[in-house]
Amino acid sequence: MFGPAAIENLPPSPMVAKVEFDRDGIHHGFLRMPYSRDDSAWGSILIPIAVAKNGDGPTALLTGGNHGDEYEGPIALFDLARSLKLDQVSGRIIIVPALNYPAFRAGTRTSPIDKGNLNRSFPGRPFGNPTEKIADFVTRDLLPMADIVLDYHSGGRTLDFLPFAAAHILDDKRQEAACFAAVEAFGAPYSVKMLEIDAVGMFDTTAETMGKVFVTTELGGGGTASARTAQIAKRGALGVLRHAGILKGAPEKRPTKWLDMPGDDCFTFSEIDGLIEPLVDLGDAVVKGQPIACAHPIDRTGVEPFTYTAKMDGVLAARHFPGLVKAGDCIAVLGVLET
Ligand SMILES: [Zn+2]
């Protein structure tokens, strides 16, 4: 957590925005981060950014590639940055399709430079590693401009999700209601009132602490996108921007099923290394005590599999993706459908 006083004492970010934020028009540029290294002494990292501004109005900040192996956000945002029509905009849209750009280029969750997990690096440090510098720039330079934030995630290489948009349960119920209204406008097949198991250092937490309307997603996974989840991502950005009054037109009303994740009982973690056999698929209903997956020991034959059972009634909202699990891996997440 941080306060305004802590922010004032920090030196300015070494990152430079080579794009216009305040002039009407559609601008394509870069966030340039100096990065001196063996193969480029005075080199830098160029993170693509687009800004569309037309007159006065609210500002939306849209980000993908917070984790580098999650693709629906970058697909939707590279597409939006290319196809936006200025006469449809009132206000400002800031688009960063691949926020942790080194991770995105490597196709990995964390940055290959510093192993930084951007969504555990907020609010960031201007004198930190490259991942912390990105977080700091977002916190101190981008977020203050934004009224509403949409940060895309998917399961990445190790998880696969039912496609949902989500916001967090917040102390400020007015802010929470505004976040859930924006989730509804995203119009994913599922919408989630999220309880984080690991909220410290997240972009979400920093933006919410600053009072922003914040929407996140989990739109699939397995380190790729599908035709269906890419379409959900593209439609979702338009829905949120129309809902915020930044894009012309009313959001298309799409049916969504609300899912709750009420507590620790939602999560199942593997207790052994093994070969995972799913016993239910994403979206399937389960009852408390029902086997949902088993892990076969792989170092010998003739050993019973380790069976994992549902700790509550619900539907399978996420599952481990690769076929092999290690002890401690998250193998299943259950949600409860609101009736
Ligand atoms: Zn992610």
Side-chain angles (χ1 to χ4, degrees):
M1 233 24 76
F2 60 92
I7 285 180
E8 279 165 24
N9 289 333
L10 292 173
S13 171
M15 287 175 63
V16 182
K18 307 301 259 181
V19 71
E20 300 251 13
F21 289 107
D22 297 319
R23 193 163 57 84
D24 279 5
I26 294 181
H27 313 286
H28 299 280
F30 300 96
L31 304 174
R32 186 167 65 78
M33 172 164 49
Y35 175 48
S36 177
R37 56 198 191 269
D38 287 345
D39 66 345
S40 190
W42 287 10
S44 48
I45 295 166
L46 299 179
I47 303 173
I49 182 171
V51 179
K53 181 177 179 298
N54 193 14
D56 295 326
T59 293
L61 171 61
L62 311 182
T63 52
N66 179 329
H67 292 131
D69 61 347
E70 304 174 3
Y71 294 104
E72 282 81 358
I75 289 169
L77 296 182
F78 275 115
D79 183 69
L80 182 69
R82 182 185 50 74
S83 60
L84 259 180
K85 301 280 181 284
L86 194 61
D87 62 358
Q88 300 295 301
V89 177
S90 47
R92 182 167 52 178
I93 308 170
I94 301 170
I95 303 170
V96 189
L99 190 56
N100 196 351
Y101 193 68
F104 174 71
R105 289 298 300 265
T108 51
R109 180 173 181 83
T110 62
S111 173
I113 298 172
D114 50 38
K115 292 292 165 197
N117 179 342
L118 182 56
N119 219 27
R120 301 293 182 275
S121 300
F122 277 82
R125 297 191 307 147
F127 37 75
N129 63 37
T131 304
E132 291 171 318
K133 285 176 180 158
I134 294 170
D136 171 68
F137 186 84
V138 171
T139 300
R140 292 192 298 148
D141 292 79
L142 294 182
L143 271 177
M145 290 190 265
D147 300 288
I148 184 165
V149 182
L150 168 59
D151 183 43
Y152 282 95
H153 289 260
S154 305
R157 291 199 281 195
T158 65
L159 288 171
D160 192 18
F161 282 91
L162 282 179
F164 66 76
H168 291 101
I169 312 276
L170 299 174
D171 291 337
D172 180 339
K173 292 301 163 191
R174 208 176 50 84
Q175 183 188 8
E176 180 190 281
C179 294
F180 288 146
V183 166
E184 191 147 15
F186 187 97
Y190 292 85
S191 299
V192 172
K193 296 176 177 173
M194 231 178 184
L195 178 86
E196 279 305 331
I197 53 173
D198 188 14
V200 175
M202 291 177 70
F203 184 13
D204 315 44
T205 313
T206 295
E208 287 157 357
T209 304
M210 292 168 77
K212 310 300 178 186
V213 174
F214 190 91
V215 176
T216 186
T217 70
E218 297 289 358
L219 292 176
T224 187
S226 67
R228 177 166 174 259
T229 54
Q231 286 305 314
I232 293 166
K234 287 161 85 164
R235 283 199 312 257
L238 301 180
V240 168
L241 290 169
R242 288 180 178 134
H243 168 75
I246 302 173
L247 262 194
K248 280 190 183 147
E252 285 175 57
K253 199 84 176 126
R254 290 187 178 274
T256 188
K257 293 178 186 162
W258 281 90
L259 275 176
D260 281 333
M261 290 180 188
D264 281 354
D265 283 352
C266 298
F267 301 95
T268 301
F269 297 93
S270 185
E271 293 178 23
I272 65 164
D273 291 6
L275 167 66
I276 196 82
E277 178 185 349
L279 301 176
V280 293
D281 285 321
L282 287 179
D284 285 354
V286 301
V287 296
K288 186 177 178 177
Q290 179 181 338
I292 52 176
C294 63
H296 298 273
I298 47 178
D299 52 355
R300 71 206 61 219
T301 58
V303 181
E304 286 295 319
F306 198 101
T307 300
Y308 299 95
T309 56
K311 286 172 271 184
M312 52 184 252
D313 295 356
V315 299
L316 188 69
R319 68 176 192 107
H320 191 263
F321 191 76
L324 295 181
V325 290
K326 295 180 299 304
D329 285 350
C330 179
I331 52 174
V333 183
L334 299 179
V336 179
L337 275 177
E338 282 186 12
T339 48

